[in-house]
Short mmCIF file of all heavy atoms in Angstrom, two decimals:
data_model
loop_
_atom_site.label_atom_id
_atom_site.label_comp_id
_atom_site.label_asym_id
_atom_site.label_seq_id
_atom_site.Cartn_x
_atom_site.Cartn_y
_atom_site.Cartn_z
N PRO W 1 -17.75 10.07 -38.74
CA PRO W 1 -17.08 8.90 -38.02
C PRO W 1 -16.04 9.46 -37.02
O PRO W 1 -15.07 10.04 -37.41
CB PRO W 1 -16.51 8.12 -39.12
CG PRO W 1 -16.25 9.07 -40.22
CD PRO W 1 -17.33 10.10 -40.15
N ALA W 2 -16.26 9.26 -35.76
CA ALA W 2 -15.30 9.68 -34.73
C ALA W 2 -15.49 8.72 -33.61
O ALA W 2 -16.59 8.27 -33.23
CB ALA W 2 -15.61 11.11 -34.29
N LEU W 3 -14.37 8.39 -33.01
CA LEU W 3 -14.41 7.56 -31.83
C LEU W 3 -14.63 8.37 -30.51
O LEU W 3 -14.11 9.48 -30.45
CB LEU W 3 -13.06 6.79 -31.70
CG LEU W 3 -12.65 5.91 -32.81
CD1 LEU W 3 -11.30 5.34 -32.65
CD2 LEU W 3 -13.67 4.75 -32.94
N GLU W 4 -15.38 7.77 -29.66
CA GLU W 4 -15.58 8.44 -28.38
C GLU W 4 -14.34 8.35 -27.61
O GLU W 4 -13.65 7.32 -27.64
CB GLU W 4 -16.77 7.86 -27.69
CG GLU W 4 -18.07 8.03 -28.31
CD GLU W 4 -19.24 7.49 -27.50
OE1 GLU W 4 -19.05 7.34 -26.31
OE2 GLU W 4 -20.21 7.20 -28.11
N PRO W 5 -13.95 9.39 -26.92
CA PRO W 5 -12.78 9.32 -26.08
C PRO W 5 -12.92 8.26 -24.98
O PRO W 5 -13.98 8.22 -24.34
CB PRO W 5 -12.56 10.73 -25.51
CG PRO W 5 -13.92 11.31 -25.54
CD PRO W 5 -14.57 10.67 -26.72
N ILE W 6 -11.88 7.52 -24.83
CA ILE W 6 -11.96 6.49 -23.78
C ILE W 6 -11.48 7.12 -22.40
O ILE W 6 -10.37 7.73 -22.45
CB ILE W 6 -11.04 5.28 -24.06
CG1 ILE W 6 -11.61 4.59 -25.38
CG2 ILE W 6 -10.97 4.25 -22.91
CD1 ILE W 6 -10.63 3.52 -25.94
N PRO W 7 -12.23 7.05 -21.34
CA PRO W 7 -11.76 7.65 -20.09
C PRO W 7 -10.53 6.90 -19.59
O PRO W 7 -10.51 5.69 -19.56
CB PRO W 7 -13.00 7.47 -19.16
CG PRO W 7 -13.77 6.38 -19.78
CD PRO W 7 -13.45 6.41 -21.24
N GLN W 8 -9.49 7.69 -19.21
CA GLN W 8 -8.33 7.09 -18.68
C GLN W 8 -8.49 6.77 -17.22
O GLN W 8 -9.10 7.46 -16.49
CB GLN W 8 -7.15 8.17 -18.82
CG GLN W 8 -6.83 8.55 -20.26
CD GLN W 8 -6.30 7.32 -21.06
OE1 GLN W 8 -5.62 6.48 -20.54
NE2 GLN W 8 -6.67 7.24 -22.33
N PRO W 9 -7.99 5.61 -16.87
CA PRO W 9 -8.14 5.18 -15.44
C PRO W 9 -7.28 6.08 -14.55
O PRO W 9 -6.21 6.54 -14.94
CB PRO W 9 -7.60 3.74 -15.42
CG PRO W 9 -6.73 3.62 -16.59
CD PRO W 9 -7.35 4.54 -17.66
N VAL W 10 -7.76 6.42 -13.44
CA VAL W 10 -7.09 7.23 -12.50
C VAL W 10 -6.12 6.41 -11.69
O VAL W 10 -6.52 5.33 -11.15
CB VAL W 10 -8.14 7.95 -11.55
CG1 VAL W 10 -7.37 8.79 -10.50
CG2 VAL W 10 -9.12 8.78 -12.31
N ALA W 11 -4.88 6.81 -11.71
CA ALA W 11 -3.86 6.11 -10.94
C ALA W 11 -4.12 6.22 -9.48
O ALA W 11 -4.42 7.25 -8.99
CB ALA W 11 -2.48 6.56 -11.31
N PRO W 12 -4.06 5.08 -8.75
CA PRO W 12 -4.29 5.19 -7.27
C PRO W 12 -3.16 5.97 -6.66
O PRO W 12 -2.01 5.98 -7.17
CB PRO W 12 -4.29 3.75 -6.88
CG PRO W 12 -3.57 3.02 -7.92
CD PRO W 12 -3.76 3.74 -9.21
N ALA W 13 -3.47 6.55 -5.57
CA ALA W 13 -2.43 7.32 -4.84
C ALA W 13 -1.34 6.41 -4.35
O ALA W 13 -1.65 5.31 -3.93
CB ALA W 13 -3.08 8.02 -3.66
N ARG W 14 -0.15 6.83 -4.56
CA ARG W 14 0.97 6.04 -4.13
C ARG W 14 1.12 6.07 -2.60
O ARG W 14 1.32 7.11 -2.06
CB ARG W 14 2.29 6.50 -4.83
CG ARG W 14 2.22 6.24 -6.27
CD ARG W 14 3.57 6.50 -6.84
NE ARG W 14 3.56 6.19 -8.30
CZ ARG W 14 4.67 6.08 -9.04
NH1 ARG W 14 5.82 6.27 -8.48
NH2 ARG W 14 4.50 5.84 -10.26
N PRO W 15 1.13 4.89 -1.99
CA PRO W 15 1.29 4.94 -0.58
C PRO W 15 2.71 5.19 -0.19
O PRO W 15 3.57 5.05 -1.04
CB PRO W 15 0.81 3.55 -0.13
CG PRO W 15 1.07 2.70 -1.32
CD PRO W 15 0.83 3.61 -2.53
N GLY W 16 2.97 5.47 1.05
CA GLY W 16 4.35 5.65 1.48
C GLY W 16 5.09 4.37 1.42
O GLY W 16 4.60 3.35 0.95
N PRO W 17 6.27 4.38 2.00
CA PRO W 17 7.02 3.19 2.01
C PRO W 17 6.32 2.00 2.69
O PRO W 17 5.51 2.33 3.66
CB PRO W 17 8.34 3.47 2.67
CG PRO W 17 8.04 4.70 3.47
CD PRO W 17 6.94 5.42 2.75
N PRO W 18 6.50 0.81 2.31
CA PRO W 18 5.75 -0.32 2.94
C PRO W 18 6.23 -0.41 4.42
O PRO W 18 7.39 -0.08 4.73
CB PRO W 18 6.13 -1.52 2.14
CG PRO W 18 7.47 -1.20 1.50
CD PRO W 18 7.34 0.29 1.26
N PRO W 19 5.34 -0.78 5.31
CA PRO W 19 5.70 -0.83 6.71
C PRO W 19 6.68 -1.95 6.85
O PRO W 19 6.67 -3.03 6.27
CB PRO W 19 4.38 -1.18 7.37
CG PRO W 19 3.53 -1.77 6.30
CD PRO W 19 3.95 -1.11 5.02
N GLY W 20 7.57 -1.64 7.77
CA GLY W 20 8.69 -2.63 8.12
C GLY W 20 8.12 -3.78 8.83
O GLY W 20 6.90 -3.85 9.18
N PRO W 21 8.96 -4.74 9.17
CA PRO W 21 8.49 -5.92 9.96
C PRO W 21 8.09 -5.43 11.32
O PRO W 21 8.65 -4.40 11.85
CB PRO W 21 9.66 -6.81 9.95
CG PRO W 21 10.88 -5.93 9.69
CD PRO W 21 10.37 -4.85 8.84
N PRO W 22 7.16 -6.05 11.90
CA PRO W 22 6.76 -5.59 13.28
C PRO W 22 7.92 -5.77 14.30
O PRO W 22 8.78 -6.61 14.05
CB PRO W 22 5.62 -6.54 13.61
CG PRO W 22 5.82 -7.71 12.79
CD PRO W 22 6.48 -7.27 11.56
N PRO W 23 7.96 -4.93 15.24
CA PRO W 23 9.01 -5.03 16.24
C PRO W 23 8.96 -6.42 16.99
O PRO W 23 7.87 -6.95 17.08
CB PRO W 23 8.80 -3.90 17.22
CG PRO W 23 7.39 -3.54 17.08
CD PRO W 23 7.00 -3.89 15.69
N PRO W 24 10.11 -6.90 17.39
CA PRO W 24 10.05 -8.21 18.03
C PRO W 24 9.37 -8.04 19.33
O PRO W 24 9.27 -7.01 19.98
CB PRO W 24 11.62 -8.53 18.30
CG PRO W 24 12.20 -7.20 18.27
CD PRO W 24 11.38 -6.31 17.31
N PRO W 25 8.68 -9.12 19.75
CA PRO W 25 7.89 -9.09 21.01
C PRO W 25 8.85 -8.91 22.24
O PRO W 25 9.92 -9.28 22.12
CB PRO W 25 7.13 -10.40 21.06
CG PRO W 25 7.96 -11.30 20.26
CD PRO W 25 8.60 -10.41 19.10
N PRO W 26 8.42 -8.26 23.21
CA PRO W 26 9.30 -8.08 24.40
C PRO W 26 9.58 -9.46 25.02
O PRO W 26 8.76 -10.35 24.90
CB PRO W 26 8.45 -7.15 25.34
CG PRO W 26 7.03 -7.37 24.95
CD PRO W 26 7.05 -7.69 23.50
N PRO W 27 10.71 -9.53 25.64
CA PRO W 27 11.03 -10.85 26.24
C PRO W 27 10.06 -11.16 27.46
O PRO W 27 9.57 -10.20 28.08
CB PRO W 27 12.47 -10.70 26.76
CG PRO W 27 12.65 -9.19 26.82
CD PRO W 27 11.82 -8.57 25.83
N PRO W 28 9.86 -12.31 27.67
CA PRO W 28 8.94 -12.70 28.79
C PRO W 28 9.55 -12.20 30.11
O PRO W 28 10.76 -12.28 30.32
CB PRO W 28 8.88 -14.16 28.75
CG PRO W 28 10.03 -14.67 28.04
CD PRO W 28 10.44 -13.50 27.10
N PRO W 29 8.68 -11.75 31.04
CA PRO W 29 9.20 -11.36 32.28
C PRO W 29 9.78 -12.45 33.13
O PRO W 29 9.36 -13.69 32.97
CB PRO W 29 8.00 -10.67 32.99
CG PRO W 29 6.82 -11.42 32.37
CD PRO W 29 7.21 -11.71 30.94
N ILE W 30 10.70 -12.25 33.95
CA ILE W 30 11.24 -13.23 34.85
C ILE W 30 10.34 -13.34 36.03
O ILE W 30 10.18 -12.32 36.79
CB ILE W 30 12.74 -12.86 35.29
CG1 ILE W 30 13.62 -12.77 33.96
CG2 ILE W 30 13.27 -13.82 36.26
CD1 ILE W 30 14.98 -12.32 34.21
N ASN W 31 9.76 -14.46 36.17
CA ASN W 31 8.79 -14.59 37.29
C ASN W 31 9.36 -15.23 38.54
O ASN W 31 8.77 -16.15 39.16
CB ASN W 31 7.51 -15.35 36.77
CG ASN W 31 7.89 -16.72 36.18
OD1 ASN W 31 9.09 -17.04 36.11
ND2 ASN W 31 6.90 -17.50 35.85
#
């Protein structure tokens, strides 16, 4: 009687820091 080893889940690669908010859009040109 022996239990089969349970495969351990592979931890996903840690991504870098989350991307910040997108830069504000440029102001509209003066026409």
Side-chain angles (χ1 to χ4, degrees):
L3 297 175
E4 292 185 23
I6 299 173
Q8 297 296 323
V10 178
R14 291 187 177 194
I30 298 173
N31 56 354

